[in-house]
Amino acid sequence: MASLSEEVLLVVKRVRQRKQDGTLYLMAERIAWGPEGKDRFTVSHLYADIRCQKISPDGKAKIQLQLILHTGESTTFHFSNGSTALKDRDATKELLQQLLPKFKKKANKELEEKNRMLQEDPVLFQLYKDLVVSQVISAEEFWANRLSLNTVEHSLSNNSKQEVGISAAFLADIRPQTDGCNGLRYNLTSDIIESIFRTYPTVKQKYAENVPHNLTEKEFWTRFFQSHYFHRDRISTGQQDIFSECAKQDEKGLNSMVTRGVKNPMVDLLLLEDKTLDEVRDCHGAGGRPTEAPSDQASETSSTDGNSRDSDFFQPPLKKVKLQESIEYDDLQGDSGRKTIALNLKKSDRYSHGPIPLQSQHYTTSQDIINSISIIQHEMRNYKPRLTQVMSSNAASSAITALSPGGLLMQGGAQQTINQLVPTDVQIELKHLYTAAGELLRHFWSCFPVNTPFLEDKLTGHLEEMLQAAYSKFQVWQTRRMMRKT
Amino acid sequence: MFADDEINILVIVLDVNPIWWGQQAQREPQFTLSTCLDSLMVLANAHLVMSRTNKLAVIANLYQKSHFLYPSKQWKSGDEISTSSDGKYELLSVTNDLFAEEIRNLMDRTEVSGSHTDSLLAVSIAKALCCILNLWFMQIAGQDVKSRILVIKAAEDSTLQYMNFMNVIFAAQKKNILIDACVLDADSGLLQQACDITGGLYLKIPQKIALAQYLLWVFLPDAEQRSQLLLPPPVHVDYRAACFCHRNLIEIGYVCSVCLSIFCNFSPICTTCETAFKMPLPQMAKTKKKKVKTAN
């Protein structure tokens, strides 16, 4: 038979189609039927193409199954295996019932999604027209990139769903019910079992080892609940308790972390305190304390890698350098002592004045001075910033007019803005080209980090071409514009 | 995406000469020091909000001293900073409060002084440069530090600070620090030169009450963004020197090679450093217009 490399889920013999005897095969992605004695399938439909299935009512003599495709065609299979016909048909129907929804939703939903996105966003529509229709990017790549942008609720590919954490009280919630006669009854659902495995990974390990070879599930859980491990005593009494090992393993893990310890001898534990707003600002503020800031930063960066294993190797030189740094200050070292000749001036006040013309001095009387100072002091004593009333809108708009092209302050500069020089249709085209180029760049950047060969190829081959195509378009456009001007 | 890679430092140097501001309050009551401070605060807040890594410093420029208004040394006192009840971004409310407090204290402590009533601009700019350099050393490798100094000038230039001022300007140029100037009253040749040399913007404001608008429009964007915007064109700077003897502006003159003082007429002895020069030969005096004599 053709392509037996596919996984075959179900084979049904003695199925007639169009009055011919044959065998029905259900594979992973399609359903196929081949006539008796022949090598190939005459009928083959992908699950994705099948819209729905129908079965003949139970009372009828003929046991049939009909497949209706999206295109409207239908294919009927007649199960003629005598005694097992009904069972066969039902088995087929159920399998199809499971498989069809998976494929069906995918196909439809995707298309719907895409159409919806194109309709909602005119910019996207324009991009689609520019890039896909003019064959700069293939449609699959366009959508592959776009869909991953959208939120998780639209995830069609199997993104790992975010795992919900375990509630802290779940162990307490597994309260046993008294069984009436001196026993306890625990209700274990698969959720609870899942949570137990996540909390105690060693228990999961034990489960995998012992069930179903040594113990049944019931026995395993009985022992679990009975063991001291669960009851948090953690006293390994040396019994034949499979769970006593779990406690020991946990202890071992914690001990190893403690012995690894902190590597950096210069870690300043005080830095790990919470910082108030003041101190943080201090590090950033200017004119504050120049000496503290660099050493703060140095010890902070060292404390972050204090636990890495590499620092162990570099420890002695690191320590030395740090000690050296904190002892010496470069700028306080003595001068290098170059010999210079002093300038001998007789009238040095000319220098301080410099080659600038005399300016008319404003003479202020001492009374004026005293007045002014007292006015200012009086004003400033009650100064409170009122930032919402800094200026009136009239003043602001007259200032803006003065600063706009042609205004009072702008005489003599280069004055024409781009949007006055260029006609509207050219502007629109330019905007489209710009957004299309931006989209291509986004594809480019989304390829990093390059961790599959597909991405590598895309970058070096494919995307190059696409960018070339975009450039040449732009080139064409530009030459057109040039020619239009001349 | 790149917000963490770039630190933008803005240092505002504000001229709070109380004599000028007091007279201004009498001339134009609607624009006083309070309004000016409010406008500056608006600019400062806008700058801080533009990006998390933007840094700010404000220096007040007085005739006796220059003083850091923000960040101030008073933080260490451990005082409770009142958290604003209007849900404002804490950095802004703290900044504004400290700023206001410092300026109040500063003005309270001002003493009357008859002499030396000019603002010490060169001192403030030097402090600003030190502050920028300080922040420079705190950068993490790979970060780009861009800095600029905005000088708000009210009173006139002080001619005594010329040398210091020029030194400071060239230091800023070497470190690629822009100096912008926003002039409220009289044009200042020194600041024009400063802006021209370092690549900043010089603007004399026609309407003082709209100061906030001018600050936000012209001085808020940083150097990179300015190339994309239409801003007032640069002012033509008069670079002519004045001769040391008469203080006239000259285009062609004589320079002493020992002390570099400029003269409009030739003289055999330089009056500044008392170096003697050889007399020029007659034919050279006719053909050459400008001479530089070497000392022997």
Side-chain angles (χ1 to χ4, degrees), chain A residues 15 29 44 54 82 144 150-151 163 172 205 210 228 238 247 258 293 315 345 368 379-380 408 435 445 472:
Chain A
V15 175
E29 288 189 13
S44 155
K54 284 190 188 168
N150 284 350
T151 52
E163 298 199 322
Q205 221 182 350
N210 290 317
H228 289 286
V258 168
Q315 199 181 48
L345 294 178
D368 273 345
E379 187 189 329
M380 283 291 115
L408 198 49
T435 32
W445 285 110
S472 47

Side-chain angles (χ1 to χ4, degrees), chain A residues 301-319:
Chain A
T301 48
S302 66
S303 69
T304 51
D305 58 32
N307 284 324
S308 70
R309 284 172 227 169
D310 287 342
S311 56
D312 198 8
F313 181 62
F314 292 116
Q315 199 181 48
L318 192 65
K319 207 167 164 180

Side-chain angles (χ1 to χ4, degrees), chain A residues 359-364, chain B residues 15 17 19-20 23 27 61 117-121 153-161 183-191:
Chain A
Q359 279 155 354
S360 58
Q361 292 284 347
H362 273 162
Y363 290 102
T364 42
Chain B
D15 185 359
N17 191 332
I19 300 169
W20 189 89
Q23 291 174 338
R27 283 192 293 254
N61 183 8
T117 56
D118 294 326
S119 305
L120 301 178
L121 187 54
K153 185 125 187 35
E156 283 103 21
D157 275 349
S158 157
T159 48
L160 293 172
Q161 300 173 46
V183 171
L184 299 177
D185 195 9
D187 265 324
S188 153
L190 286 178
L191 275 178

Side-chain angles (χ1 to χ4, degrees), chain A residues 323-337:
Chain A
L323 284 174
Q324 200 79 353
E325 270 174 20
S326 46
I327 297 175
E328 294 177 348
Y329 280 116
D330 277 341
D331 20 350
L332 295 181
Q333 308 279 4
D335 267 335
S336 47

Side-chain angles (χ1 to χ4, degrees), chain A residues 20 57 61 66 134 140 193 215 218 238 295 305 339-340 377 393 411 427 438 444 470:
Chain A
Q20 262 194 315
Q66 189 182 47
S134 54
E140 294 119 31
I193 292 181
L215 306 164
K218 194 169 164 199
S295 60
D305 58 32
K339 295 259 176 235
T340 50
Q377 281 183 332
S393 44
Q411 306 296 335
Q427 277 186 43
F444 178 73

Side-chain angles (χ1 to χ4, degrees), chain B residues 23-65:
Chain B
Q23 291 174 338
Q24 166 69 15
Q26 294 168 327
R27 283 192 293 254
E28 236 186 286
Q30 66 268 32
F31 181 75
T32 62
L33 185 54
S34 322
T35 336
C36 180
L37 284 172
D38 285 345
S39 310
L40 269 184
M41 237 184 252
V42 166
L43 174 67
N45 288 354
H47 176 77
L48 284 174
V49 163
M50 293 275 273
S51 158
R52 275 184 177 278
T53 51
N54 279 0
K55 310 246 189 288
L56 176 75
V58 183
I59 304 178
N61 183 8
L62 275 190
Y63 46 71
Q64 295 148 340
K65 55 187 168 172

Side-chain angles (χ1 to χ4, degrees), chain B:
Chain B
M1 221 192 315
F2 301 111
D4 286 342
D5 293 344
E6 214 172 69
I7 301 186
N8 248 309
I9 308 176
L10 172 65
V11 183
I12 304 181
V13 174
L14 169 64
D15 185 359
V16 290
N17 191 332
I19 300 169
W20 189 89
W21 281 106
Q23 291 174 338
Q24 166 69 15
Q26 294 168 327
R27 283 192 293 254
E28 236 186 286
Q30 66 268 32
F31 181 75
T32 62
L33 185 54
S34 322
T35 336
C36 180
L37 284 172
D38 285 345
S39 310
L40 269 184
M41 237 184 252
V42 166
L43 174 67
N45 288 354
H47 176 77
L48 284 174
V49 163
M50 293 275 273
S51 158
R52 275 184 177 278
T53 51
N54 279 0
K55 310 246 189 288
L56 176 75
V58 183
I59 304 178
N61 183 8
L62 275 190
Y63 46 71
Q64 295 148 340
K65 55 187 168 172
S66 94
H67 182 79
F68 269 93
L69 291 180
Y70 176 89
S72 78
K73 300 193 175 116
Q74 287 193 9
W75 289 356
K76 309 302 166 297
S77 59
D79 286 343
E80 287 254 327
I81 302 177
S82 59
T83 46
S84 68
S85 52
D86 58 0
K88 196 150 97 164
Y89 180 28
E90 272 166 12
L91 179 60
L92 296 184
S93 59
V94 166
T95 306
N96 294 350
D97 288 341
L98 283 171
F99 191 152
E101 172 129 358
E102 281 293 324
I103 188 83
R104 277 196 294 262
N105 293 343
L106 183 65
M107 286 292 133
D108 257 348
R109 298 196 300 255
T110 308
E111 291 151 13
V112 181
S113 153
S115 56
H116 302 299
T117 56
D118 294 326
S119 305
L120 301 178
L121 187 54
V123 174
S124 304
I125 299 188
K127 278 201 179 179
L129 286 178
C130 292
C131 158
I132 289 176
L133 230 51
N134 187 16
L135 284 173
W136 200 302
F137 286 127
M138 281 173 46
Q139 68 169 303
I140 307 171
Q143 265 180 343
D144 210 8
V145 181
K146 300 221 178 92
S147 30
R148 57 189 204 277
I149 302 179
L150 170 62
V151 178
I152 314 269
K153 185 125 187 35
E156 283 103 21
D157 275 349
S158 157
T159 48
L160 293 172
Q161 300 173 46
Y162 175 81
M163 272 309 168
N164 300 329
F165 197 75
M166 292 315 278
N167 279 334
V168 153
I169 294 176
F170 286 119
Q173 186 205 24
K174 265 268 182 331
K175 288 286 179 189
N176 289 329
I177 299 175
L178 266 60
I179 297 184
D180 296 322
C182 178
V183 171
L184 299 177
D185 195 9
D187 265 324
S188 153
L190 286 178
L191 275 178
Q192 282 179 348
Q193 285 191 37
C195 298
D196 200 39
I197 291 175
T198 56
L201 259 168
Y202 176 89
L203 186 66
K204 178 169 176 331
I205 296 196
Q207 273 176 306
K208 296 204 219 15
I209 40 174
L211 176 63
Q213 182 59 51
Y214 286 109
L215 287 178
L216 287 175
W217 185 285
V218 181
F219 295 110
L220 181 61
D222 65 16
E224 260 181 61
Q225 294 162 356
R226 284 180 198 179
S227 56
Q228 320 276 344
L229 301 170
L230 272 184
L231 292 173
V235 181
H236 174 72
V237 186
D238 190 354
Y239 276 116
R240 286 181 302 170
C243 65
F244 277 45
C245 34
H246 310 106
R247 300 281 166 201
N248 296 330
L249 289 174
I250 52 175
E251 277 155 20
I252 300 171
Y254 295 85
V255 179
C256 166
S257 54
V258 172
C259 62
L260 297 179
S261 16
I262 302 171
F263 299 103
C264 46
N265 286 318
F266 173 75
S267 79
I269 298 184
C270 167
T271 40
T272 320
C273 61
E274 302 201 342
T275 321
F277 295 115
K278 269 202 231 161
M279 291 292 290
L281 300 173
Q283 55 266 34
M284 287 172 80
K286 285 200 194 96
T287 51
K288 283 211 168 180
K289 282 205 171 174
K290 182 172 176 183
K291 278 192 198 130
V292 176
K293 303 267 187 323
T294 53
N296 36 329

